[in-house]
Amino acid sequence: MRGLIIRQPWIDLILSGEKTWEMRSKATNVRGEIGLIRAKSGLVFGTARLVESRPPLGRLNYMSHRDKHAIPEAMLEEVIGNGWVHPWVLDQIRVLPRPIPYVHPSGAVTFVNLDPSVVAAVKSGRPVANSSAPIDHTASATSYSRHSEKLDVEPTTAPPSTPEVRTDNNGTTFVFRPEAAQAFGRPLPDGRFLVLKDSTAMRSGSPNVKRDAQDRDRLVREGVLVPDGDNRYRFTRDHAFSSSSKAAGIIKDGNASGPSLWKHVKSGRSLKDSEASC
């Protein structure tokens, strides 16, 4: 069995039955039962059947399928720009009684070939024998299926917690996801923008103009950014940038307009729109 690595908040929406289309940048030939892995957790939280890879959506019809992909309209420009237009259709979604730990191979970003012992544990719903990995999810197993694109069974438990979407009492959290990176941050009262620890940044982004290259290299020398996989950096601590655009440029490895690219983690509204409504 393969495990599909899915970021927050999308995996929680899948596990709660609110999302049956996982949007990706290319089609897939994979079919059948897969494990559902929460990115960076080292845990399999559920299973599903990958039943179809549909033709790519376009700007004109993307939001007509929001009931399936659960992406808010405020993120339309972002998802189109990143190429997240290929629906991978999931069916028979099942939440495990407890998440199952697995060993994550270095560099894996989409699929993982799960060890036979992990597959057996996933199928039985019991932990891997002699495993000492942490377990942090105690929801009862719940199954979902598509029927005229609606759920047969309503979820009986709340979705699992979302440790990667960090919020605190000091402000509202925003997310920026360029290519393979994912960063969380919030504006500060003095106009600066704080990027949170464990956010990731592209080591080599697609834009040709990179006005922030020297600043990014300085952060690497200072240990704020460290290598994380083949083409990403990871923030070792919270770091305040002079503006949201400066932060976005470092994370994207290319010029970026922060006010429009940073999105509220819950509403999907841009930083610019969120500040205008305050």
Side-chain angles (χ1 to χ4, degrees), residues 2-5 24 28-30 34-35 37 50 88 104-105 108-113:
R2 299 187 186 190
L4 177 61
I5 303 165
R24 295 283 167 151
T28 181
N29 292 322
V30 174
I34 58 172
I37 296 171
L50 208 173
W88 294 7
H104 189 85
V109 295
T110 303
F111 282 109
V112 171
N113 289 319

Side-chain angles (χ1 to χ4, degrees), residues 1 28 30 35 47 71 73 102 119 144 146 157 159 161 176 200 202 215 243 269 271:
M1 178 190 293
T28 181
V30 174
T47 64
I71 294 174
E73 188 170 2
Y102 75 99
V119 174
Y144 307 96
R146 287 187 303 119
T157 58
S161 60
F176 176 40
T200 55
M202 295 301 298
D215 291 329
S243 68
R269 298 180 66 190
L271 174 62

Side-chain angles (χ1 to χ4, degrees), residues 81-93:
N82 285 318
W84 302 338
V85 297
H86 294 265
W88 294 7
V89 182
L90 304 177
D91 197 1
Q92 299 179 25
I93 299 163

Side-chain angles (χ1 to χ4, degrees), residues 29-110:
N29 292 322
V30 174
R31 297 290 185 274
E33 188 176 24
I34 58 172
L36 302 176
I37 296 171
R38 180 185 291 167
K40 297 185 180 180
S41 72
L43 299 169
V44 182
F45 278 79
T47 64
R49 291 190 64 82
L50 208 173
V51 298
E52 185 180 4
S53 181
R54 294 177 62 89
L57 303 181
R59 191 183 305 273
L60 296 179
N61 68 342
Y62 204 100
M63 296 315 300
S64 64
H65 298 286
R66 183 180 178 183
D67 61 318
K68 304 176 189 67
H69 58 60
I71 294 174
E73 188 170 2
M75 290 185 65
L76 179 59
E77 294 302 319
E78 179 184 355
V79 297
I80 293 294
N82 285 318
W84 302 338
V85 297
H86 294 265
W88 294 7
V89 182
L90 304 177
D91 197 1
Q92 299 179 25
I93 299 163
R94 181 172 69 99
V95 181
L96 296 177
R98 292 194 296 175
I100 305 299
Y102 75 99
V103 177
H104 189 85
S106 177
V109 295
T110 303

Side-chain angles (χ1 to χ4, degrees), residues 37-276:
I37 296 171
R38 180 185 291 167
K40 297 185 180 180
S41 72
L43 299 169
V44 182
F45 278 79
T47 64
R49 291 190 64 82
L50 208 173
V51 298
E52 185 180 4
S53 181
R54 294 177 62 89
L57 303 181
R59 191 183 305 273
L60 296 179
N61 68 342
Y62 204 100
M63 296 315 300
S64 64
H65 298 286
R66 183 180 178 183
D67 61 318
K68 304 176 189 67
H69 58 60
I71 294 174
E73 188 170 2
M75 290 185 65
L76 179 59
E77 294 302 319
E78 179 184 355
V79 297
I80 293 294
N82 285 318
W84 302 338
V85 297
H86 294 265
W88 294 7
V89 182
L90 304 177
D91 197 1
Q92 299 179 25
I93 299 163
R94 181 172 69 99
V95 181
L96 296 177
R98 292 194 296 175
I100 305 299
Y102 75 99
V103 177
H104 189 85
S106 177
V109 295
T110 303
F111 282 109
V112 171
N113 289 319
L114 297 174
D115 185 84
S117 63
V118 175
V119 174
V122 168
K123 289 182 177 294
S124 68
R126 294 190 294 271
V128 179
N130 300 322
S131 171
S132 60
I135 300 297
D136 65 355
H137 179 50
T138 58
S140 301
T142 309
S143 294
Y144 307 96
S145 288
R146 287 187 303 119
H147 179 68
S148 299
E149 302 296 350
K150 295 182 179 179
L151 295 178
D152 289 333
V153 182
E154 291 295 327
T156 57
T157 58
S161 60
T162 57
E164 287 185 87
V165 179
R166 295 179 50 189
T167 58
D168 54 40
N169 294 327
N170 296 319
T172 301
T173 305
F174 292 80
V175 62
F176 176 40
R177 298 186 178 95
E179 301 183 51
Q182 177 173 250
F184 295 96
R186 58 181 174 82
L188 297 175
D190 61 4
R192 293 181 301 163
F193 192 88
L194 185 72
V195 174
L196 303 181
K197 177 184 176 181
D198 290 329
S199 294
T200 55
M202 295 301 298
R203 294 178 70 176
S204 180
S206 57
N208 293 322
V209 180
K210 303 175 189 296
R211 67 186 179 197
D212 299 315
Q214 291 184 346
D215 291 329
R216 195 273 305 274
D217 292 344
R218 175 178 54 81
L219 294 178
V220 173
R221 292 193 301 270
E222 294 174 352
V224 177
L225 292 173
V226 297
D228 182 62
D230 294 335
N231 192 31
R232 291 189 307 185
Y233 287 113
R234 177 177 55 82
F235 283 79
T236 61
R237 57 182 181 267
D238 293 357
H239 184 79
F241 290 92
S242 60
S243 68
S244 63
S245 292
K246 172 66 76 172
I250 295 291
I251 292 162
K252 183 181 180 180
D253 186 36
N255 294 354
S257 174
S260 62
L261 292 173
W262 289 98
K263 307 292 184 179
H264 189 279
V265 294
K266 293 183 178 179
S267 69
R269 298 180 66 190
S270 69
L271 174 62
K272 179 180 179 181
D273 289 343
S274 297
E275 290 180 335

